[in-house]
Every structure is written in C-alpha cells, then in structure tokens.
Amino acid sequence: MNEINNQGKSIISTIKEMIEESGINHNDFYKTFQQEPLPLNKVKEIFQQYYYYIRTFPQILSGLAPRVEDELIRLKISRTVVSELGDGHGDPHYIMFEKSLSAIGVTLDDYKEASYIPEAESLVSNLERLFLKESPNYAIGAHYVIEEFGYPMIVNLYEGFRLYDSWEHEDFNYFYLHILIECNHVDWIQDALISAATDEQAKDELLSGAAQVLEVLMNFWNGLNRLAHQ
C-alpha cells in the first residue's frame, strides 16, 4: 500500500509540473480579460463558451462513477458531482455563474442551441471521450488537472469580472464559493488518483489523461483569447 501511495504522490507531483510548465495559469486570455472591460456582447460570446464547459462537466463526470471498480474512487467522484450541483442546499454552480453574468447585464443563450468555437467543442468532446469511453484512469488523470488548475482559474476570472459595473458582492458568490471549496475538490481527486495508481499501466494512463486534457484546455483558453480580439 505504501508503494502505491508513493507512486500516486509521484504522479501528482509530475502533473503539477506539467500544469506549471504549460503556462495555463498565466494564459493570454486571463491577461486580456483583466486588462480592460470588454463590450458586453463580447463577454456574452466568450462566456457562452465557458458556460458550455462548466454546464456539461458535471453531467460527464457523473457518467464516470459507474465505470470505476474502486468504491473509494466512486465516492470521491460522486462527492465532486454533488458539490457541483449545489450539495443539496444551494444552487448548482452553473446557475451561480449565470447570476454573476446577469449582474453585469449578460444573459446567455440555451447552451444546447448556442454556437461554439472549435476549441470549445473539442474540449467537451474530448472530456466525453476521456471520461465515458477510455479507461477510467485517463479520466482520473484528466480530472486532477481540471481541479488543480481550477483555483487559479477562478481567481483570474474574478479579477476580470471585477472591472465591470453594477454588480453587488453577493452576485459573485460563484467565485467566492470556488475560492473556498476548490481545495476540497483537489483533495478528493488526489485521494482517487492515489487509489488508482496501482501499477505502471495505471500510471501511464493517468499521466496520459492529464496530458491530453491539458492540451485541449490550453487550446480552449487560446480560443477564448482569439475570440476576445475579433
């Protein structure tokens, strides 16, 4: 068991290095979004793409739970899904984000009917593939990346949204909540990853899943930056 734990911790360290080396936590879109307010029609266009990601991810993640054999991993996945959907006593997080947008005067279209840039479509389709079709280990590695870079993402987006007028502090609960709970999500997926790291094949799959999702996430943020400048 100690050997498995050590291997899992080694994988976690490797994925953290991958995230840092990718530059995703300091990507160009964050810089663009924090530089000056964009027109609200442009904000809508950009965050319609982001909404597609956060709206579909709990659905995709919930589909992973019945595919794993380890009950601890199933528990950690399920806890994250429940958290994303409001934990039984609050709004689902995607609704909280809708309210944040509404506070600055932006109303999104139905996500099932909206138009998406290729990078957003690629992100969601690759998440569906990794979480619902490939070996679950690919999804666990990918999920760790998503949660590990989640805190810097929320902080950077919050700094950009603060440039806009008319919002009150309670309108931005989406950001405040994630700043508080993102560490819990990271802890849960770390536990799942350590449990999954049983041998060399599992290690390779975990790292491959992390690398694949990191690539499509980088492309996604680059796509949003391109959209901001169009």
Side-chain angles (χ1 to χ4, degrees):
M1 180 61 71
N2 286 337
E3 182 178 347
I4 293 175
N5 288 345
N6 289 336
Q7 181 162 265
K9 290 176 182 177
S10 173
I11 295 169
I12 288 168
S13 295
T14 299
I15 295 176
K16 285 183 177 181
E17 290 174 6
M18 291 165 57
I19 293 171
E20 184 59 33
E21 290 173 1
S22 75
I24 194 169
N25 292 334
H26 312 282
N27 67 71
D28 288 339
F29 174 73
Y30 293 165
K31 298 171 186 176
T32 296
F33 191 52
Q34 293 174 34
Q35 186 174 7
E36 61 183 359
L38 298 170
L40 292 185
N41 64 327
K42 183 61 68 173
V43 173
K44 174 180 178 177
E45 188 178 8
I46 290 168
F47 286 99
Q48 187 79 57
Q49 315 300 315
Y50 175 79
Y51 184 77
Y52 186 38
Y53 166 43
I54 67 167
R55 181 66 180 86
T56 57
F57 183 63
Q59 300 170 356
I60 295 168
L61 182 60
S62 66
L64 176 63
R67 301 184 65 234
V68 301
E69 297 295 333
D70 188 308
E71 297 298 348
L72 174 65
I73 296 175
R74 197 188 325 277
L75 170 65
K76 301 302 181 177
I77 292 167
S78 299
R79 289 188 72 179
T80 305
V81 173
V82 170
S83 176
E84 288 289 337
L85 296 178
D87 213 9
H89 52 72
D91 288 329
H93 294 177
Y94 64 86
I95 290 180
M96 296 176 69
F97 184 66
E98 290 177 21
K99 291 180 177 178
S100 295
L101 285 173
S102 179
I104 65 169
V106 173
T107 301
L108 296 178
D109 298 329
D110 185 330
Y111 81 100
K112 295 180 180 179
E113 299 177 1
S115 298
Y116 297 107
I117 59 174
E119 293 88 346
E121 292 181 338
S122 176
L123 173 58
V124 172
S125 66
N126 274 283
L127 289 175
E128 290 173 339
R129 174 182 59 82
L130 288 167
F131 282 73
L132 304 179
K133 297 178 181 178
E134 303 284 3
S135 160
N137 288 332
Y138 290 95
I140 294 168
H143 190 188
Y144 183 77
V145 169
I146 288 169
E147 299 299 351
E148 181 64 39
F149 101 102
Y151 178 83
M153 178 191 76
I154 289 294
V155 171
N156 276 287
L157 294 182
Y158 172 68
E159 289 300 325
F161 271 95
R162 290 202 310 138
L163 301 177
Y164 296 83
D165 296 327
S166 77
W167 59 273
E168 304 290 341
H169 284 291
E170 57 270 21
D171 297 323
F172 281 2
N173 283 336
Y174 172 80
F175 302 102
Y176 307 142
L177 177 65
H178 280 83
I179 288 170
L180 289 172
I181 68 170
E182 203 59 49
C183 61
N184 291 333
H185 288 198
V186 172
D187 288 345
W188 296 338
I189 189 57
Q190 279 187 352
D191 292 343
L193 190 150
I194 289 171
S195 292
T198 55
D199 54 35
E200 283 300 313
Q201 180 179 344
K203 175 182 177 181
D204 290 344
E205 291 176 350
L206 290 162
L207 289 174
S208 178
Q212 290 181 59
V213 85
L214 190 53
E215 180 180 359
V216 293
L217 281 166
M218 280 296 300
N219 290 340
F220 174 73
W221 292 111
N222 289 336
L224 294 192
N225 193 52
R226 185 190 72 250
L227 199 56
H229 290 285
Q230 286 179 349

